[in-house]
Amino acid sequence: MIRIKFWLIVVLTVILSISGFSQDKKPWNKPIYDEYPYHFGFSLGLNTFGARIINSNEFFSLDTVYAIETKSQPGFSVLMVSSLRLGENFELRFTPGLIFGQRDLHYLHNLQPDTLILTKHIMRVESTYASFPLLLKYRSIRVNNYRPYLIAGINYTLDLESEKKIRDEERPKIRLSRNDLYFEAGIGLDYYLPYFKFATELKFSFGVMNLLRPDNTEYTRAIETINGRLFSILFYFE
């Protein structure tokens, strides 16, 4: 479902950009905006946290855990924006901020080894990321008051809730690593308005570090690797 929504939004973004190109030439809003050496602003966004889980070799010999899957949950982000002009088509962007979200790990487990009565246990893993992305932005030519772009880079994140105390009613529950590094790529469209520049952006983030923190329970022994995934829809005001 998330993939379908993503491609639908991509198609709409492309259609909007094409419609901008197809229009007759119009007076430009903020015509020398892109000549400034740097810009500042802020961004608000929506996101979904996900995870790629690889089962361990020990998984099939466990008596308790029979299946694991992850379910994405909606979240939001608040970012600051600083942008350095590198040339006609390139910018270097630093957009630190906070990302709030949650991953649900669905375990199918059997708490009575002598029987085969499977029940589902949902681990709700909340995260608040301090995010420090460094991104390279490539902009196409500007037509009227539109300018599509591509963006890519890396993002170091620090999970501020990773050490949060686990309440008794939440157990069993695993912890994820505090640090992660993401490779990020996305597509967006700049809109030049009379008083500021507005942009919409779709971005995928792929975690490369193993988030698993072993605790010697079958809930972590069943897993070899957890890699973070993050899909974001961002709105920029600069």
Side-chain angles (χ1 to χ4, degrees), residues 53 55 59 65-70 105-108 219 222-223:
I53 296 179
N55 293 334
F59 173 77
V65 177
Y66 282 77
I68 311 167
E69 63 178 3
T70 180
L105 300 181
H106 290 231
Y107 280 82
L108 192 63
Y219 296 96
I223 300 173

Side-chain angles (χ1 to χ4, degrees), residues 66-105:
Y66 282 77
I68 311 167
E69 63 178 3
T70 180
K71 296 292 185 180
S72 301
Q73 297 295 331
F76 67 96
S77 58
V78 180
L79 308 174
M80 301 302 295
V81 179
S82 56
S83 181
L84 175 66
R85 185 178 186 270
L86 299 180
E88 181 63 28
N89 298 106
F90 288 95
E91 289 182 5
L92 185 65
R93 294 171 69 82
F94 181 55
T95 58
L98 295 176
I99 303 174
F100 304 87
Q102 175 181 312
R103 300 180 181 92
D104 288 351
L105 300 181

Side-chain angles (χ1 to χ4, degrees), residues 100-101 126-129 158-165 175 178:
F100 304 87
E126 302 89 357
S127 293
T128 299
Y129 284 154
L158 184 67
D159 190 348
L160 303 179
E161 293 199 42
S162 63
E163 304 298 330
K164 183 179 178 181
K165 182 179 180 181
R175 295 183 185 273
R178 186 175 177 83

